[in-house]
């Protein structure tokens, strides 16, 4: 979950952000920007340095929160795209044959489970392997249906 205090680390930054959210027009936003720049320019050097550090920390926290959101969205999208497929075919077979791992290992990556304190994810290569496995199984099913009919 996002801790907005990390993204806006000072009460002043939080208040300025709340004010900014209320602005409607481009002119209001430009005036606010000038006001903030003037306010910053009038700060003593020590306070400017503290403001820069707080801003950098806030930006890093914001980027981390965005990256976390993107990861969660990508996991949800993958689960949604898979639909009922995990129930229809053996993911245990795919995990063993293509990864040399257990079914649980594969599901941990699909579901983004926490493993050893970190979120389990596919690496780019593992995702390619998974897609190749799905294509192979698809072709296997297709060839088998041709033999039967």
């Amino acid at each position: 979950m996002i801790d907005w205090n990390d993204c806006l680390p000072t009460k002043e930054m939080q208040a300025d952000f709340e004010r900014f959210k209320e602005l409607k027009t481009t002119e209001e936003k430009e005036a606010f920007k000038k006001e903030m720049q003037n306010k910053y320019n009038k700060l003593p050097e020590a306070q400017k340095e503290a403001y820069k550090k707080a801003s950098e920390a806030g930006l890093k926290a914001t980027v981390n929160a965005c990256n976390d959101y993107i990861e969660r969205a990508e996991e949800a999208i993958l689960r949604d795209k898979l639909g009922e497929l995990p129930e229809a075919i053996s993911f245990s077979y795919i995990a063993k044959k293509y990864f040399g791992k257990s079914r649980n290992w594969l599901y941990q990556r699909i579901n983004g489970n926490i493993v050893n304190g970190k979120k389990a994810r596919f690496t780019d290569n593992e995702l390619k392997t998974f897609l190749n496995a799905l294509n192979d199984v698809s072709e296997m099913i297709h060839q088998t249906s041709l033999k039967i009919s």
Side-chain angles (χ1 to χ4, degrees):
M1 208 33 91
I2 298 172
D3 183 352
W4 293 109
N5 292 326
D6 291 342
C7 298
L8 297 164
T10 69
K11 294 288 182 198
E12 190 172 280
M13 287 179 173
Q14 292 168 12
D16 288 341
F17 182 68
E18 290 303 318
R19 265 188 54 222
F20 180 78
K21 288 189 325 187
E22 299 300 317
L23 304 177
K24 305 285 185 239
T25 67
T26 303
E27 292 80 20
E28 289 175 328
K29 291 176 184 178
E30 285 299 317
F32 179 84
K33 182 179 173 183
K34 286 179 185 175
E35 177 189 335
M36 291 296 104
Q37 187 63 53
N38 288 335
K39 187 174 166 182
Y40 176 79
N41 289 340
K42 291 177 183 175
L43 291 174
E45 281 305 311
Q47 286 181 346
K48 281 183 182 179
E49 200 55 40
Y51 186 86
K52 284 181 193 177
K53 285 183 181 178
S55 296
E56 287 173 5
L59 289 171
K60 284 179 185 175
T62 302
V63 168
N64 289 339
C66 290
N67 287 336
D68 182 56
Y69 180 81
I70 290 167
E71 284 178 21
R72 286 185 285 123
E74 287 173 345
E75 291 161 6
I77 290 167
L78 176 60
R79 284 190 305 273
D80 187 53
K81 285 180 179 179
L82 289 174
E84 294 180 18
L85 189 64
E87 298 165 21
I89 66 172
S90 173
F91 273 32
S92 180
Y93 170 83
I94 290 173
K96 274 189 182 150
K97 178 168 174 120
Y98 292 89
F99 296 100
K101 306 283 186 178
S102 70
R103 178 179 70 84
N104 286 339
W105 178 91
L106 184 58
Y107 277 106
Q108 287 168 348
R109 272 129 197 90
I110 290 170
N111 294 319
N113 295 354
I114 304 297
V115 178
N116 297 325
K118 289 176 35 181
K119 190 173 282 201
R121 302 186 67 213
F122 284 117
T123 65
D124 289 342
N125 284 336
E126 288 169 345
L127 185 57
K128 286 177 188 171
T129 299
F130 183 60
L131 295 175
N132 288 335
L134 292 176
N135 286 327
D136 287 352
V137 171
S138 171
E139 184 59 27
M140 190 184 322
I141 291 169
H142 179 70
Q143 291 301 318
T144 301
S145 72
L146 289 177
K147 289 178 190 174
I148 294 172
S149 56

